């Protein structure tokens, strides 16, 4: 049995799935069917077994099946590091989602301690050429897979920064109102940066220690105005105090880990990822996801659950086969989607195959022969 895998998945009124029940083994899962049938909806449901808003970053009230829109629920049997957990998450009438683990109410952050989930979706194909926000989320998702506390620290930082920004927007100039918030931001910000630095070093080692068909990506963080004072709590706190006049003019906080940007270089070619071809950019993303999975397997004894939506896009048959070989060698439960079953031919009998069809707005899932 894989070290981290879903054993069962039950969806109720989740997007196009009015009712779905899957009993699944630890092997990779290849899901095929036409566009719009509901393949990605299955992956989205699994992504919500981890902290955050899932791979679509959807609000809770946008997920419920239409036209009922009464609410939705996900229940899963999760095998995680020699323990089996019953995990449930749901939302009723558009309210914030609730979580229960082994029958007890839990926070979303607690999900990160039992489920390590990474994903690669088509929207991320433009990661290297669009805004820095997406790249930070990508890095923080990888960081969270190693350090579940990263979610709590990030939330603490963002909460304190929102309060500070409110003061700045209101043109509050009394230093007394800022000190406690800046202290909280400095402490959390330094920990965020330490976590990010650690995962970048880990990914660098994981890429260079394994020979794969995918290119090595050299990663680095750059910061607003070149300022990296927030790597040390006291320095960051002093920088926030010093920067108040400028921040008051802008009405927001202008330095900190929320302004960092993740840059990547195709190492063998010495070319920035943003200047690579579409296929090379995709290959770099796949390389990083696989490096993350290998490093996590070494760290905690199990690779994460991988969600690879339309993974075959921009991959030639050779790299596609190499991807499947590496997933199987890792022992990772990867949930992959594609429009045609022949996209998974190189997997052979190493995977479970599901066929998704849509009829009258309802998705149906059946196990398909190899």
């Amino acid at each position: 049995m894989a070290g981290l895998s879903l054993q069962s998945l039950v969806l109720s009124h989740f997007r196009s799935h009015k009712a779905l029940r899957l009993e699944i083994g630890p092997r990779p899962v290849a899901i095929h069917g036409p566009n719009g049938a509901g393949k990605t909806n299955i992956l989205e449901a699994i992504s919500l077994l981890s902290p955050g808003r899932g791979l679509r970053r959807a609000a809770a009230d946008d997920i419920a099946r239409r036209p009922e829109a009464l609410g939705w629920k996900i229940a899963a049997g999760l095998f995680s590091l020699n323990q089996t957990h019953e995990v449930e998450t749901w939302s009723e009438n558009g309210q914030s989602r609730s979580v229960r683990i082994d029958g007890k109410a839990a926070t979303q952050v607690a999900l990160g301690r039992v489920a390590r989930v990474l994903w690669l979706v088509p929207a991320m194909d433009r990661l290297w050429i669009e805004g820095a926000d997406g790249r930070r989320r990508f890095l923080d998702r990888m960081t969270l897979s190693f350090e579940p506390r990263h979610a709590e620290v990030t939330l603490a930082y963002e909460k304190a920064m929102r309060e500070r920004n409110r003061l700045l927007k209101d043109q509050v100039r009394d230093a007394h109102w800022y000190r406690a918030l800046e202290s909280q931001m400095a402490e959390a910000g330094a920990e965020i940066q330490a976590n990010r630095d650690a995962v970048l070093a880990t990914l660098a080692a994981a890429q260079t220690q394994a020979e794969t068909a995918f290119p090595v990506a050299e990663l680095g963080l750059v910061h607003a105005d070149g300022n990296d004072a927030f790597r040390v709590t006291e320095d960051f706190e002093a920088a926030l105090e010093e920067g108040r006049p400028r921040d008051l003019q802008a009405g927001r906080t202008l330095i900190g880990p929320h302004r960092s940007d993740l840059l990547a270089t195709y190492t063998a070619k010495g070319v920035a990822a943003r200047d690579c071809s579409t296929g090379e950019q995709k290959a770099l993303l796949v390389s990083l996801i696989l490096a993350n999975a290998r490093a996590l397997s070494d760290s905690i004894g199990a690779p994460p659950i991988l969600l690879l939506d339309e993974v075959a896009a921009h991959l030639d048959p050779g790299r596609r086969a190499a991807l499947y070989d590496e997933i199987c060698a890792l022992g990772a439960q990867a949930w992959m989607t594609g429009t045609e079953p022949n996209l998974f031919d190189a997997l052979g009998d190493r995977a479970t195959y599901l066929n998704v069809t849509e009829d009258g707005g309802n998705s149906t899932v059946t196990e398909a022969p190899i």
Side-chain angles (χ1 to χ4, degrees):
M1 179 177 289
L4 186 59
S5 62
L6 292 183
Q7 298 175 316
S8 62
L9 180 67
V10 179
L11 306 184
S12 176
H13 292 84
F14 187 92
R15 293 203 186 269
S16 60
H17 297 277
K18 185 174 183 179
L20 171 66
R21 180 179 295 272
L22 296 176
E23 301 292 332
I24 207 78
R27 299 188 300 173
V29 181
I31 307 172
H32 59 86
N35 289 326
K39 304 183 300 296
T40 304
N41 295 342
I42 296 174
L43 270 58
E44 182 184 20
I46 298 170
S47 74
L48 287 167
L49 298 174
S50 65
R53 294 169 59 183
L55 59 80
R56 282 193 175 112
R57 293 182 53 77
D61 59 352
D62 292 333
I63 295 172
R65 175 182 162 80
R66 309 294 179 183
E68 300 96 320
L70 300 175
W72 52 269
K73 185 175 183 179
I74 304 164
L78 174 69
F79 185 79
S80 176
L81 303 176
N82 299 316
Q83 296 185 61
T84 300
H85 298 282
E86 295 298 323
V87 180
E88 301 167 280
T89 184
W90 69 94
S91 172
E92 297 178 350
N93 300 318
Q95 298 179 3
S96 298
R97 70 182 180 111
S98 302
V99 175
R100 191 158 49 214
I101 300 175
D102 296 329
K104 297 180 180 179
T107 64
Q108 287 189 39
V109 171
L111 290 172
R113 298 190 175 96
V114 296
R116 314 292 177 98
V117 185
L118 294 176
W119 52 79
L120 188 57
V121 299
M124 295 165 64
D125 290 351
R126 297 178 59 81
L127 186 76
W128 305 117
I129 58 177
E130 292 189 338
D133 286 355
R135 291 187 287 274
R136 283 194 298 271
R137 285 196 298 270
F138 179 69
L139 175 58
D140 284 337
R141 172 59 53 179
M142 291 192 291
T143 303
L144 180 63
S145 72
F146 291 97
E147 179 50 74
R149 176 176 155 77
H150 190 67
E152 294 175 291
V153 178
T154 301
L155 287 173
Y157 177 84
E158 290 175 349
K159 180 180 178 181
M161 184 176 66
R162 282 196 301 270
E163 289 298 310
R164 184 177 189 268
N165 285 349
R166 183 180 60 80
L167 295 177
L168 294 168
K169 187 176 180 180
D170 292 344
Q171 294 293 296
V172 174
R173 297 180 181 274
D174 186 345
H176 171 77
W177 292 96
Y178 288 93
R179 290 191 182 110
L181 294 172
E182 290 172 352
S183 177
Q184 293 168 25
M185 287 180 65
E187 182 177 355
E191 186 169 348
I192 289 169
Q193 187 59 48
N195 291 342
R196 288 174 175 175
D197 287 343
V199 79
L200 289 178
T202 298
L203 291 173
Q207 288 187 95
T208 56
Q209 290 171 3
E211 292 187 10
T212 76
F214 296 93
V216 172
E218 182 181 344
L219 300 177
L221 276 175
V222 295
H223 314 291
D225 299 330
N227 193 324
D228 62 357
F230 47 87
R231 277 190 158 88
V232 178
T233 300
E234 293 77 12
D235 291 347
F236 186 19
E237 191 168 0
L240 286 169
E241 180 178 357
E242 183 181 342
R244 271 183 225 148
R246 188 180 62 165
D247 291 351
L248 277 163
Q249 286 186 329
R252 66 187 189 280
T253 303
L254 295 175
I255 63 167
H258 65 288
R259 297 288 308 279
S260 300
D261 194 3
L262 175 68
L263 301 185
T265 301
Y266 191 132
T267 303
K269 294 186 174 184
V271 176
R274 65 176 178 271
D275 297 324
C276 290
S277 70
T278 301
E280 288 171 337
Q281 290 177 355
K282 182 79 169 188
L284 288 170
L285 285 171
V286 172
S287 177
L288 290 171
I289 292 291
L290 292 175
N292 190 166
R294 288 194 301 271
L296 196 60
S297 184
D298 290 341
S299 176
I300 68 169
I305 294 173
L306 300 177
L307 308 178
L308 306 175
D309 194 22
E310 301 292 345
V311 69
H314 307 305
L315 293 182
D316 60 43
R319 274 192 173 152
R320 200 181 302 154
L323 170 62
Y324 301 155
D325 288 344
E326 180 146 2
I327 287 169
C328 293
L330 273 168
Q333 189 187 58
W335 294 69
M336 298 168 283
T337 67
T339 54
E340 302 294 337
N342 59 12
L343 292 170
F344 304 107
D345 284 349
L347 268 170
D349 62 0
R350 297 178 293 177
T352 297
Y353 293 85
L354 301 176
N355 182 34
V356 182
T357 56
E358 186 270 339
D359 182 22
N362 185 54
S363 296
T364 301
V365 180
T366 56
E367 189 163 350
I370 297 172

